[in-house]
Amino acid sequence: MLRHFLRLRQSAWTKLQCGQSWKRRLVTGKETTSFALNLFRGETRTQEIFPYPEVLTDDQKETLHLLIDPATKFFEQVNDPARNDSDERVPDDVLDQFKQLGTYGMQVPSEYGGIGLTNTQYARLGEITGGSDLALAVMMGAHQSIGFKGILLYGDKQQKEKYLPKVASGEWTAAYCLTEPGSGSDAQSIRSRATLSDDGKHYILNGSKIWISNGSTANLFTVFAQTPLTDTKTGETKDRITAFIVERSFPGVSSGLPEAKMGIKASPTAEVFFDNVKIPVENVLQEPGAGFKIAVNVLNSGRFGMAAAMAGCMKYLIKRAVQHTTGRVQFGSRLDTYGSVQNKIARMALNLYVTESMAYIISGNMDRGVEEFQLEAAISKIFGSEAAWTVADECIQLHGGMGYMKSAGLERVLRDLRIFRIFEGANDILRLFIALTGMQYAGSHLKELQAALQNPLANLGLVVSEGMKRAQRSVGMTTAEPLGNYVHPEMRGCAETATKLITHFGGTVEQLLSTYGKNIIHEQFILDNIADAAIDMYGTVCVLSRCSRSFTHDLPSSEHEKLLTEVYCKEAGERIERNLQAATSADEAHINKKLTLISQQTVENEAFIPHHPLGL
Ligand code: MYA
């Protein structure tokens, strides 16, 4: 699977070298304002970071208030996540009450029957849902973050008019059908296939999809399938992915029973089958062949919601940890007075602060029309899901034996959280995606420079500025624009270090590209180092921005936020240094070789190799 991923990556790289689509999209004539992408060039692009986005109008805040109160009441008084978990379903009357709050059509414009919330408003409500019941959050998210998002983003007027009112009211539930038995992370390798009927009026769809959230209950599916497409210029026919809107009522659509799972048990996950399903051509989203882009963009556009839900969950867990540690006395003192407990609680708060800062910076940027946020969205998904997992684990640890008991309700949260590191793009694959996409962006810039060097006089500006940059970097000077220009004076120290790290990041990427060239795609140990450094770097600028805002607005929490920011920036900075160093160090390369051998030998032996210490 991963080999296939790499083959595809290689082809993307080759396209880049040949100046095809990637290059057109990201480089020629168009510089992106994405902080994360420019980080790979060692450049500070601040416009999507500073100042922290303030996107809600007073009216939008008011709407949010009106929605938060009943939602909170619903979670406190109506919904019972423990019962949902043990019954493996949400009772119909409870789900109906949830839908009546408008939760199933939050981002659908009012002309189509929804409440037309912005991404930021949606994130805030997602946070509340995630803080109470992750299974219900997944039902709601699978429905609108991805299930009918394709119609919202890419549907034509007729498609929107026909389907959005039904899904917005919750009368119909939606699901997103991408994954197949043979295609998980490698989304392009799906086998479901749709061919055009002889009269050109229908596509005939065959195939099956697995692990589909809302699969057994949905009335409407966004389905991705291969369709043969003929290039009008060359006459060559090739399979390309097309996105279809499929109704459950179309003959040939069926689904399996809900799967038995580790967590999010109340959220029905099922297999969905398509047996000679006739889909009217009007139900193609955008155009035949546009499906892969639709699939990944729908996922990109939903990932901030996951970070927000993770933030809500961490808030709940911190509350529980505080309640327990302040209420329990051991060895003569309250638990919260012990250093090792304080270390855990503080780190829980750090994890939440970074996740929340990322989630709302991304939703704010999306609301103000930023289009290139795929790296940031992936970073927030990885960071949020791993942070929440750590926080849940530590919360249980703080509860000791009590935390392990089902009655404490924490094991459910831990079980529910485990899937968040896997679905909507496994974190391991997203790490490769971040590192490779960023390096392609940096690589394309180096190509431009190479081309400029062929005729230095005609490109004097570029050649001189790039030459200066390298000279400054070689003597340890920072070349990135100082972040200190953008932060509140209280944050200047952290900003200075962060600027140096951005320069170091860009230099390391350049060094890796010149060492490995396109073969960097095979260096996954290194790519993981780079992705981890990028995640910490993005976390750093997000908290610097948020904390600066708090000082600027003179918020009562600003001094506390400064503590959080300073600790995170310091520790993240050390991790970034370590990861960048590891990516280029010969010692680390030796360790990586040894790890590869350990893995290969274990796999060959089909079991753990060392002799048992007892010799038995
Ligand atoms: S849903 C299913 C989850 N599945 C996945 O996420 C699949 C993951 N795999 C992929 O994304 C791709 O296959 C990857 C490889 C990236 C790994 N944005 O040659 P390529 C472009 C923009 O690299 P591949 C689920 O789990 C790329 O630029 N563009 O392709 C249910 C290139 O463009 P061009 C992208 O190697 C969960 C082209 O595509 C992106 O095959 C239920 C080809 O690229 C991107 N991301 O890719 C959750 N990726 O053609 C419920 C690639 O121009 C929700 N490209 O050169 C829970 C929510 C919680 C609550 C919420 C409440 C608010």
Side-chain angles (χ1 to χ4, degrees), residues 4-13 15 20-23 25-26 106 122-123 125-127 129-130 134 136-143 145-146 176 178-179 184-189 211-213 240 292-293 296-297 299-300 302-310 372 374 420 422-426 429-430 433 437 440:
H4 186 57
F5 168 80
L6 290 177
R7 194 168 56 71
L8 291 166
R9 268 291 159 200
Q10 183 132 26
S11 77
W13 188 278
K15 274 191 270 169
Q20 288 176 7
S21 56
W22 266 84
K23 191 165 179 177
R25 190 162 64 89
L26 287 175
M106 288 198 272
Y122 177 65
L125 289 162
E127 195 188 319
T129 313
L134 287 168
L136 193 54
V138 169
M139 289 167 74
M140 180 183 96
H143 171 71
S145 281
I146 54 176
Y176 175 91
L178 178 64
T179 307
S185 292
D186 182 4
Q188 288 203 79
S189 68
W211 306 323
I212 303 304
S213 298
R240 297 285 309 274
F292 187 71
K293 275 293 161 72
V296 290
N297 284 333
L299 292 168
N300 291 339
R303 285 187 179 129
F304 73 94
M306 194 182 277
M310 295 295 92
E372 196 94 62
Q374 73 268 35
F420 285 80
I422 299 172
F423 68 11
E424 270 208 11
I429 285 295
L430 290 182
F433 169 71
T437 307
Q440 274 173 327

Side-chain angles (χ1 to χ4, degrees), residues 193 195 227-232 234-240:
R193 217 174 143 66
T195 48
T227 48
L229 275 188
T230 306
D231 187 319
T232 45
T234 61
E236 198 186 353
T237 299
K238 270 193 183 159
D239 274 356
R240 297 285 309 274

Side-chain angles (χ1 to χ4, degrees), residues 319-330:
K319 211 169 164 184
R320 291 289 308 269
V322 170
Q323 273 167 1
H324 179 72
T325 55
T326 52
R328 188 162 167 86
V329 172
Q330 290 287 281

Side-chain angles (χ1 to χ4, degrees), residues 167-238:
V167 288
S169 66
E171 180 193 343
W172 278 18
T173 302
Y176 175 91
C177 295
L178 178 64
T179 307
E180 298 186 359
S183 164
S185 292
D186 182 4
Q188 288 203 79
S189 68
I190 55 170
R191 294 235 172 123
S192 289
R193 217 174 143 66
T195 48
L196 198 58
S197 61
D198 292 341
D199 61 8
K201 289 187 177 159
H202 292 91
Y203 277 91
I204 312 292
L205 170 66
N206 281 289
S208 70
K209 301 284 177 177
I210 51 165
W211 306 323
I212 303 304
S213 298
N214 294 341
S216 56
T217 52
N219 312 83
L220 193 71
F221 304 90
T222 303
V223 183
F224 299 90
Q226 302 285 359
T227 48
L229 275 188
T230 306
D231 187 319
T232 45
K233 282 187 201 135
T234 61
E236 198 186 353
T237 299
K238 270 193 183 159

Side-chain angles (χ1 to χ4, degrees), residues 5 25 128 177 231 254 276 288 299 329 360 376 420 490 512 537 585 601:
F5 168 80
R25 190 162 64 89
I128 291 170
C177 295
D231 187 319
S254 61
N276 284 319
L299 292 168
V329 172
Y360 288 99
E376 285 83 354
F420 285 80
E490 293 282 349
L512 291 170
M537 207 64 248
S585 114
Q601 290 168 5

Side-chain angles (χ1 to χ4, degrees), residues 327-342:
R328 188 162 167 86
V329 172
Q330 290 287 281
F331 305 107
S333 297
R334 266 172 32 183
L335 291 186
D336 64 292
T337 61
Y338 292 110
S340 71
V341 171
Q342 290 165 345

